[in-house]
Amino acid sequence: MHASDPAATSAPAIAPRDLRLVLVGAMIAMFISALDQTIVATALPSIARDLGDVALLSWVVTAYLVSSVCATAVVGKLSDIHGRRPLMLAARAIFVLAAVCCALASSMEALIAARARKGIGGGALVTLAQTIVADVVSPRERGRYAAHFSGMWAAASLLGPTIGGALTQHLGWHLIFWINLPLGLCALVAVDSVLRKLPARHVPGRIDAPSLALLPVATTALLFALSWGGVRHPWLSAPVLGAAALAALCGWLFWRRQHGRDEPVFSPVFARDRVVGRILPAMFFGFGAYLALAITLPVFLQVVLLLSPGDAGLLMILLTFSTTITAYLSGRYLRRTGDYRLPPVLGFPLAAASALAFAAGIDHAGPWAAAAMMLGVGLGIGPIFPTAIVAAQNAVSPRDVGAVTGAVAYARPLGGAVGAAAATALVLALVPRTGDLRGLDDL
């Protein structure tokens, strides 16, 4: 689809000042949600030391991931029916209040429960931020702002561990949660003042209540199976197989219920659409491969190449930085030409060739070879992020913009969870066979 299509020619009426306020508020919302996924990583040892339950430590991250993925799946469609502003206010309130609960948590169980609630708000913020921007800018301009969102996400990924480590070391881990309050309130004020001026969206219809339950259950069961397999339990153990079976059953029931519904959460039309039906698997596999590499490469750099954690971290910046560069350039290209196909068509082969070349010579690879591979993979995968969301939004009618944004936002972390699980299982299976574990003590 190109910007010259009928769906791409209309532009909403909004004053430039109000447009800037919406964009600032939406980008802050995206930033704090992305930041919250990485800022906690460097604080985990201090949290375990203070709260005294190392066995549950991984759930501080997992609880946020599971609930945020579930939220992205449904909040877009809810906003199509009930309006963006009520959902944005609710998401912001959930996120901020959960941040307070995280900061005040006195036990690991309380912190995990608060992180799960925070994930609901964070996942909703990501979807709503992208949906609101799609409401207030013309389809031709969406590529430009999708590039800004990609840059904001990358900046949060880079700054999160650094900010988290500095705050934890000098002021205590509680402050990494308190910092969400001023950022969240600023974004709320910026967006809410403008959303009041926009026409209210109240599309007649009701979402099927069982569908709202089935999809989160299916997603949660799948993520549990992937996170348990090969780590907490063997892949063929009863807990892993039971969770996988529950995920398959609920997923099948959910899909069956979407057919014939007036307001489906995930419209079967999306899967059959020649644009959206290709974007969803591309986002799933693209981000899955990206996250798998981001997880396995630091282990390779430290265990095999014996780099220090600091040096490995510096090299990993190449992956994020190169991804940001081509995501931004692709967004600008979209705005200028309206062509969605060229950037990912050129990018994916570059990413695949870089990874295959590195794998072919991995026995003799050094830090420079790893750096070149990361640069190629990042440059190749970057274009899919802005092009996917913009192409999907421009391919559907205005009443389905929220739903399709949620579908794309859902495919991305789900692919990341599958890629992360596969990468973790691969590392756990192969590292003991190397016979050289000198670097593991540094992880």
Side-chain angles (χ1 to χ4, degrees), residues 210-231:
S211 297
L212 289 180
L214 285 169
L215 185 58
V217 170
T219 304
T220 302
L222 176 62
L223 294 181
F224 279 157
L226 294 174
S227 63
W228 286 344
V231 180

Side-chain angles (χ1 to χ4, degrees), residues 183-194:
L183 291 175
L185 292 175
C186 286
L188 176 62
V189 171
V191 173
D192 188 58
S193 62
V194 179

Side-chain angles (χ1 to χ4, degrees), residues 1-393:
M1 177 178 175
H2 294 266
S4 59
D5 292 345
T9 56
S10 60
I14 181 172
R17 177 180 177 276
D18 291 339
L19 176 59
R20 287 193 294 271
L21 285 175
V22 167
L23 295 175
V24 169
M27 292 181 71
I28 293 175
M30 176 72 76
F31 180 79
I32 61 176
S33 179
L35 185 70
D36 207 66
Q37 297 184 31
T38 57
I39 195 172
V40 74
T42 47
L44 290 177
S46 297
I47 292 173
R49 185 167 52 249
D50 287 354
L51 301 183
D53 197 337
V54 178
L56 295 175
L57 191 59
S58 64
W59 286 98
V60 175
V61 177
T62 302
Y64 186 96
L65 173 64
V66 169
S67 59
S68 64
V69 171
C70 293
T72 60
V74 299
V75 73
K77 188 59 183 179
L78 287 173
S79 72
D80 282 337
I81 294 177
H82 301 291
R84 315 295 187 216
R85 181 172 175 268
L87 269 294
M88 177 61 82
L89 291 176
R92 195 82 65 186
I94 292 171
F95 189 85
V96 171
L97 291 176
V100 174
C101 293
C102 288
L104 298 177
S106 57
S107 67
M108 192 66 76
E109 292 81 0
L111 179 60
I112 291 170
R115 285 282 292 173
R117 294 193 297 272
K118 198 175 186 188
I120 295 173
L125 288 177
V126 171
T127 299
L128 290 170
Q130 294 174 316
T131 305
I132 288 171
V133 170
D135 285 341
V136 299
V137 303
S138 66
R140 186 63 175 263
E141 292 290 323
R142 289 172 184 170
R144 172 185 177 186
Y145 298 109
H148 293 332
F149 279 134
S150 297
M152 191 63 68
W153 192 280
S157 300
L158 287 173
L159 293 175
T162 303
I163 295 174
L167 292 177
T168 300
Q169 180 177 347
H170 300 292
L171 300 172
W173 62 266
H174 299 83
L175 199 63
I176 68 173
F177 300 113
W178 286 118
I179 198 174
N180 293 143
L181 269 66
L183 291 175
L185 292 175
C186 286
L188 176 62
V189 171
V191 173
D192 188 58
S193 62
V194 179
L195 292 183
R196 289 177 180 272
K197 302 177 183 178
L198 299 179
R201 299 176 63 93
H202 294 289
V203 179
R206 296 178 61 184
I207 294 182
D208 180 49
S211 297
L212 289 180
L214 285 169
L215 185 58
V217 170
T219 304
T220 302
L222 176 62
L223 294 181
F224 279 157
L226 294 174
S227 63
W228 286 344
V231 180
R232 185 179 294 267
H233 304 288
W235 281 104
L236 297 180
S237 64
V240 175
L241 292 178
L246 178 61
L249 175 62
C250 291
W252 178 77
L253 291 174
F254 169 80
W255 188 249
R256 286 290 301 271
R257 293 194 68 90
Q258 299 311 291
H259 292 273
R261 302 287 165 181
D262 292 333
E263 295 293 342
V265 175
F266 184 94
S267 175
V269 175
F270 290 168
R272 296 192 298 267
D273 186 88
R274 66 183 183 90
V275 176
V276 182
R278 297 174 184 177
I279 285 172
L280 296 178
M283 180 62 82
F284 178 91
F285 289 110
F287 191 69
Y290 181 83
L291 197 58
L293 183 64
I295 289 174
T296 55
L297 200 56
V299 178
F300 173 81
L301 293 174
Q302 295 176 65
V303 174
V304 179
L305 299 186
L306 302 181
L307 298 183
S308 68
D311 290 340
L314 288 175
L315 274 181
M316 291 300 296
I317 292 177
L318 281 174
L319 182 63
T320 304
F321 181 73
S322 59
T323 303
T324 304
I325 291 296
T326 49
Y328 179 79
L329 293 177
S330 297
R332 303 288 293 185
Y333 176 81
L334 283 178
R335 176 175 177 254
R336 188 174 67 254
T337 67
D339 179 17
Y340 308 124
R341 292 174 55 86
L342 186 61
V345 165
L346 294 178
F348 274 147
L350 172 62
S354 299
L356 287 173
F358 181 76
I362 195 169
D363 291 337
H364 308 289
W368 287 109
M373 186 270 292
M374 283 188 284
L375 190 63
V377 170
L379 292 174
I381 289 183
I384 189 60
F385 299 128
T387 56
I389 190 67
V390 175
Q393 289 174 340

